[in-house]
Amino acid sequence: MTDKRTDKPKPNPVVLPDDACPTCGATMRVQKSTLGLPINGEEILVPDAPHLGCPTCGEVVLRLEDAQRLREAAIAQYRTAHRLFAGHEIRALRDHHGLTQGELAQLLRLGANTLSRWESGRNVQSASMDVLLHLLRDVPGTLEYLRRQVA
Ligand SMILES: [Zn+2]
């Protein structure tokens, strides 16, 4: 798609270096401090989270890798706080039952990529879905029951 309006040069474009503050233009510094991120609606505070900080106006900017690390750290803390399975525990449970990610996703009626995200730490299961995973680990016959439900 071409939009003729975007082909026109804009007058007086602003050029900023990558480490310039988007608010005031001062040079930002790499720093670490506690940052908050909502996980399943709950604010999780992650200590020592790296980011760019503006010494002049206090603006905080997350680089892409900062944002990914912050999210993964917040998810790990959330899982610990709520005693949810860690990603590697979900994978071990799935391997124990000889299920692929797709097969377990079908049994639990999840999207195709959901288990991949849980196991890698890019996303986290809800507390109620975690209960189902615990049933699958701790209650004999659960796998057979789930299989009958989708048959
Ligand atoms: Zn600034």
Side-chain angles (χ1 to χ4, degrees):
M1 281 208 305
T2 52
D3 183 342
K4 289 237 168 86
R5 287 170 300 177
T6 61
D7 292 339
K8 288 185 189 167
K10 295 202 167 66
N12 304 320
V14 176
V15 178
L16 288 175
D18 285 347
D19 58 354
C21 173
T23 301
C24 75
T27 301
M28 303 186 86
R29 296 192 195 123
V30 177
Q31 59 187 36
K32 290 182 178 179
S33 64
T34 299
L35 296 178
L37 192 73
I39 301 292
N40 289 348
E42 181 179 331
E43 183 84 351
I44 303 295
L45 297 177
V46 177
D48 298 321
H51 57 271
L52 295 177
C54 178
T56 303
C57 75
E59 181 77 270
V60 167
V61 171
L62 292 175
R63 296 160 294 183
L64 280 177
E65 66 268 26
D66 295 336
Q68 189 176 354
R69 281 171 69 176
L70 175 64
R71 181 164 175 78
E72 289 175 2
I75 283 173
Q77 280 184 222
Y78 180 88
R79 279 179 153 146
T80 300
H82 293 280
R83 299 199 192 113
L84 305 180
F85 276 133
H88 68 88
E89 293 173 309
I90 296 174
R91 177 179 297 255
L93 172 66
R94 187 170 57 71
D95 287 345
H96 173 76
H97 287 294
L99 296 167
T100 66
Q101 290 178 341
E103 287 165 346
L104 183 54
Q106 189 185 17
L107 291 174
L108 299 177
R109 304 183 189 195
L110 298 166
N113 296 320
T114 302
L115 275 155
S116 165
R117 293 194 198 101
W118 292 354
E119 290 179 7
S120 67
R122 280 175 290 138
N123 210 336
V124 61
Q125 69 275 21
S126 65
S128 51
M129 193 51 77
D130 197 73
V131 170
L132 271 180
L133 293 172
H134 275 81
L135 285 174
L136 192 56
R137 185 190 69 177
D138 297 335
V139 180
T142 299
L143 179 59
E144 292 69 28
Y145 175 83
L146 291 173
R147 282 191 166 132
R148 283 198 300 277
Q149 298 307 304
V150 297

